[in-house]
Amino acid sequence: MATRTDAPTRREQILREAARLFAERGFHGVGVDEIGAAVGISGPGLYRHFPGKDAMLAELLVGISGRLLTGAKRRLEEADGVPSEAVLDSLVEGHIDFALDDRPLITLHDRELDRLRDSDRKLVRQLQRQYVELWVEVLRAVHPGLAEPAARSAVHSVFGLLNSTPHLGRPGSLPGRAATAALLHRMARGAFGAAAAGE
Protein backbone atom coordinates (compact mmCIF):
# COMPACT_ATOMS: atom_id res chain seq x y z
CA MET A 1 0.00 0.00 0.00
CA ALA A 2 2.36 2.69 1.23
CA THR A 3 5.17 1.76 -1.16
CA ARG A 4 3.08 1.66 -4.35
CA THR A 5 3.27 4.56 -6.75
CA ASP A 6 0.79 3.30 -9.35
CA ALA A 7 -2.96 3.66 -8.98
CA PRO A 8 -4.46 1.17 -6.51
CA THR A 9 -6.71 -1.56 -7.83
CA ARG A 10 -10.35 -1.70 -6.77
CA ARG A 11 -9.46 -4.56 -4.42
CA GLU A 12 -6.73 -2.43 -2.81
CA GLN A 13 -9.14 0.49 -2.50
CA ILE A 14 -11.62 -1.74 -0.70
CA LEU A 15 -8.95 -3.02 1.67
CA ARG A 16 -7.67 0.48 2.43
CA GLU A 17 -11.14 1.78 3.25
CA ALA A 18 -12.01 -1.35 5.23
CA ALA A 19 -8.84 -0.87 7.30
CA ARG A 20 -9.68 2.77 7.95
CA LEU A 21 -13.29 2.05 8.92
CA PHE A 22 -12.44 -1.00 11.06
CA ALA A 23 -9.77 1.03 12.87
CA GLU A 24 -12.15 3.94 13.48
CA ARG A 25 -15.26 1.99 14.55
CA GLY A 26 -14.20 -1.57 15.22
CA PHE A 27 -14.80 -4.64 13.08
CA HIS A 28 -18.37 -5.16 14.26
CA GLY A 29 -19.18 -1.46 14.02
CA VAL A 30 -18.82 -1.39 10.24
CA GLY A 31 -21.18 -2.89 7.69
CA VAL A 32 -20.43 -4.13 4.19
CA ASP A 33 -22.64 -1.34 2.78
CA GLU A 34 -20.46 1.32 4.45
CA ILE A 35 -17.28 -0.15 3.00
CA GLY A 36 -18.91 -0.27 -0.41
CA ALA A 37 -20.07 3.34 -0.14
CA ALA A 38 -16.54 4.42 0.74
CA VAL A 39 -15.24 3.08 -2.59
CA GLY A 40 -18.31 3.95 -4.66
CA ILE A 41 -19.87 0.52 -5.13
CA SER A 42 -22.86 -1.21 -3.60
CA GLY A 43 -22.38 -3.37 -0.54
CA PRO A 44 -23.35 -6.52 -2.42
CA GLY A 45 -20.87 -5.51 -5.13
CA LEU A 46 -18.08 -6.13 -2.62
CA TYR A 47 -18.84 -9.84 -2.77
CA ARG A 48 -17.32 -9.91 -6.26
CA HIS A 49 -14.00 -9.12 -4.55
CA PHE A 50 -14.33 -10.70 -1.10
CA PRO A 51 -16.64 -13.34 0.38
CA GLY A 52 -17.19 -11.13 3.45
CA LYS A 53 -15.72 -8.91 6.13
CA ASP A 54 -13.80 -11.79 7.71
CA ALA A 55 -11.93 -12.32 4.46
CA MET A 56 -11.06 -8.61 4.29
CA LEU A 57 -9.72 -8.64 7.83
CA ALA A 58 -7.64 -11.75 7.16
CA GLU A 59 -6.17 -10.31 3.98
CA LEU A 60 -5.33 -7.05 5.74
CA LEU A 61 -3.56 -8.64 8.71
CA VAL A 62 -1.86 -11.50 6.89
CA GLY A 63 -1.03 -9.13 4.05
CA ILE A 64 0.75 -6.50 6.15
CA SER A 65 2.79 -9.14 7.99
CA GLY A 66 3.82 -10.60 4.66
CA ARG A 67 4.68 -7.20 3.19
CA LEU A 68 6.83 -6.26 6.17
CA LEU A 69 8.75 -9.54 5.91
CA THR A 70 9.16 -9.25 2.13
CA GLY A 71 10.29 -5.65 2.44
CA ALA A 72 12.86 -6.52 5.10
CA LYS A 73 14.25 -9.38 2.99
CA ARG A 74 14.52 -7.06 0.00
CA ARG A 75 16.38 -4.47 2.07
CA LEU A 76 18.82 -7.14 3.25
CA GLU A 77 19.42 -8.32 -0.31
CA GLU A 78 20.00 -4.77 -1.52
CA ALA A 79 22.39 -4.14 1.38
CA ASP A 80 24.73 -7.03 0.54
CA GLY A 81 28.23 -5.91 1.49
CA VAL A 82 26.96 -2.78 3.27
CA PRO A 83 28.04 -2.18 6.91
CA SER A 84 25.66 -3.67 9.47
CA GLU A 85 24.90 -0.22 10.92
CA ALA A 86 23.51 0.89 7.55
CA VAL A 87 21.49 -2.32 7.23
CA LEU A 88 19.92 -1.73 10.63
CA ASP A 89 19.16 1.86 9.64
CA SER A 90 17.46 0.56 6.49
CA LEU A 91 15.28 -1.85 8.48
CA VAL A 92 14.32 0.93 10.88
CA GLU A 93 13.44 3.23 7.99
CA GLY A 94 11.26 0.56 6.39
CA HIS A 95 9.32 -0.04 9.58
CA ILE A 96 8.91 3.69 10.16
CA ASP A 97 7.42 4.02 6.68
CA PHE A 98 4.86 1.38 7.64
CA ALA A 99 4.20 2.95 11.05
CA LEU A 100 3.55 6.39 9.58
CA ASP A 101 1.74 5.40 6.38
CA ASP A 102 -0.37 2.45 7.54
CA ARG A 103 -1.49 3.56 10.98
CA PRO A 104 -4.98 2.02 10.67
CA LEU A 105 -3.41 -1.42 10.20
CA ILE A 106 -1.55 -1.08 13.49
CA THR A 107 -4.81 -0.30 15.28
CA LEU A 108 -6.52 -3.12 13.46
CA HIS A 109 -3.83 -5.62 14.45
CA ASP A 110 -4.00 -4.58 18.10
CA ARG A 111 -7.80 -4.80 18.30
CA GLU A 112 -8.88 -7.47 15.87
CA LEU A 113 -6.15 -10.13 15.53
CA ASP A 114 -8.07 -12.52 17.77
CA ARG A 115 -11.03 -12.41 15.35
CA LEU A 116 -9.05 -14.24 12.67
CA ARG A 117 -9.49 -17.94 12.07
CA ASP A 118 -6.85 -20.00 13.86
CA SER A 119 -5.04 -20.80 10.62
CA ASP A 120 -4.84 -17.12 9.61
CA ARG A 121 -3.76 -16.04 13.08
CA LYS A 122 -1.02 -18.69 13.11
CA LEU A 123 0.17 -17.49 9.71
CA VAL A 124 0.36 -13.90 10.96
CA ARG A 125 2.40 -15.03 13.98
CA GLN A 126 4.69 -17.13 11.79
CA LEU A 127 5.39 -14.22 9.44
CA GLN A 128 5.98 -11.92 12.40
CA ARG A 129 8.46 -14.34 13.98
CA GLN A 130 10.44 -14.50 10.75
CA TYR A 131 10.43 -10.70 10.57
CA VAL A 132 11.71 -10.42 14.14
CA GLU A 133 14.49 -12.94 13.52
CA LEU A 134 15.79 -10.92 10.56
CA TRP A 135 16.07 -7.91 12.83
CA VAL A 136 17.72 -9.93 15.61
CA GLU A 137 20.42 -11.16 13.24
CA VAL A 138 21.20 -7.65 12.01
CA LEU A 139 21.07 -6.14 15.51
CA ARG A 140 23.55 -8.72 16.80
CA ALA A 141 25.86 -7.97 13.89
CA VAL A 142 25.85 -4.33 15.00
CA HIS A 143 26.14 -5.20 18.71
CA PRO A 144 27.93 -8.60 18.88
CA GLY A 145 27.93 -8.61 22.68
CA LEU A 146 24.13 -8.51 22.83
CA ALA A 147 22.78 -11.93 23.77
CA GLU A 148 20.09 -13.36 21.52
CA PRO A 149 17.25 -13.19 24.10
CA ALA A 150 18.12 -9.58 24.91
CA ALA A 151 18.31 -8.72 21.20
CA ARG A 152 14.89 -10.26 20.61
CA SER A 153 13.42 -8.32 23.54
CA ALA A 154 15.00 -5.12 22.22
CA VAL A 155 13.52 -5.69 18.76
CA HIS A 156 10.04 -6.24 20.20
CA SER A 157 10.42 -3.13 22.35
CA VAL A 158 11.42 -1.02 19.36
CA PHE A 159 8.45 -2.35 17.40
CA GLY A 160 6.26 -1.21 20.29
CA LEU A 161 7.85 2.23 20.13
CA LEU A 162 7.50 2.57 16.36
CA ASN A 163 4.00 1.12 16.32
CA SER A 164 2.83 3.75 18.80
CA THR A 165 2.08 6.12 15.90
CA PRO A 166 -1.72 5.70 16.11
CA HIS A 167 -1.47 7.20 19.61
CA LEU A 168 0.59 10.25 18.61
CA GLY A 169 -2.48 12.34 17.88
CA ARG A 170 -4.12 13.37 14.64
CA PRO A 171 -1.82 13.45 11.61
CA GLY A 172 -2.04 17.25 11.46
CA SER A 173 -0.85 17.56 15.05
CA LEU A 174 2.47 15.84 14.37
CA PRO A 175 5.57 17.94 13.57
CA GLY A 176 5.58 16.76 9.94
CA ARG A 177 6.33 13.38 8.42
CA ALA A 178 10.06 13.90 7.91
CA ALA A 179 10.59 15.28 11.42
CA THR A 180 8.49 12.51 12.98
CA ALA A 181 10.36 9.85 11.00
CA ALA A 182 13.70 11.30 12.09
CA LEU A 183 12.58 11.39 15.73
CA LEU A 184 11.38 7.78 15.62
CA HIS A 185 14.64 6.71 13.99
CA ARG A 186 16.75 8.37 16.70
CA MET A 187 14.60 6.82 19.42
CA ALA A 188 14.83 3.34 17.87
CA ARG A 189 18.61 3.50 17.52
CA GLY A 190 18.87 4.94 21.02
CA ALA A 191 16.84 2.04 22.41
CA PHE A 192 19.07 -0.49 20.66
CA GLY A 193 22.16 1.27 21.96
CA ALA A 194 20.78 1.24 25.49
CA ALA A 195 20.02 -2.49 25.24
CA ALA A 196 23.59 -3.18 24.13
CA ALA A 197 25.04 -0.98 26.89
CA GLY A 198 23.27 -3.07 29.50
CA GLU A 199 24.93 -6.30 28.42
Side-chain angles (χ1 to χ4, degrees):
M1 285 184 194
T3 59
R4 290 180 63 101
T5 55
D6 52 333
T9 65
R10 178 50 61 98
R11 188 179 180 86
E12 289 169 333
Q13 291 172 344
I14 293 168
L15 287 172
R16 184 173 58 236
E17 290 305 316
R20 180 182 65 80
L21 291 167
F22 292 159
E24 287 176 0
R25 295 187 231 160
F27 182 73
H28 287 303
V30 178
V32 172
D33 289 340
E34 293 172 272
I35 299 170
V39 294
I41 62 176
S42 68
L46 287 180
Y47 293 112
R48 289 195 296 272
H49 301 276
F50 297 96
K53 287 197 311 178
D54 289 339
M56 292 179 211
L57 181 63
E59 186 157 334
L60 284 165
L61 295 182
V62 173
I64 191 53
S65 296
R67 286 199 305 278
L68 284 170
L69 177 59
T70 299
K73 287 180 176 178
R74 186 185 66 251
R75 286 172 180 270
L76 292 181
E77 289 169 4
E78 292 171 351
D80 188 32
V82 172
S84 298
E85 291 268 358
V87 178
L88 183 58
D89 281 332
S90 180
L91 288 177
V92 171
E93 288 163 9
H95 199 96
I96 288 172
D97 284 342
F98 156 68
L100 291 176
D101 297 337
D102 289 310
R103 292 165 70 184
L105 289 176
I106 297 173
T107 301
L108 200 57
H109 179 278
D110 289 346
R111 289 183 189 164
E112 312 291 357
L113 181 63
D114 289 342
R115 297 193 189 284
L116 294 183
R117 294 179 307 176
D118 286 346
S119 58
D120 289 327
R121 189 165 57 250
K122 286 177 183 175
L123 179 55
V124 168
R125 294 301 190 197
Q126 178 186 8
L127 292 168
Q128 290 174 338
R129 281 193 297 272
Q130 292 176 46
Y131 183 59
V132 167
E133 292 312 308
L134 288 179
W135 280 68
V136 169
E137 183 178 344
V138 173
L139 179 59
R140 295 190 73 212
V142 174
H143 299 290
L146 191 59
E148 190 171 307
R152 194 169 290 110
S153 294
V155 168
H156 281 290
S157 296
V158 166
F159 287 170
L161 185 157
L162 298 179
N163 291 347
S164 68
T165 53
H167 310 292
L168 296 180
R170 296 182 183 138
S173 67
L174 299 178
R177 191 190 188 288
T180 301
L183 173 62
L184 290 171
H185 198 126
R186 290 194 304 272
M187 292 175 71
R189 290 304 305 269
F192 285 141
E199 287 294 296

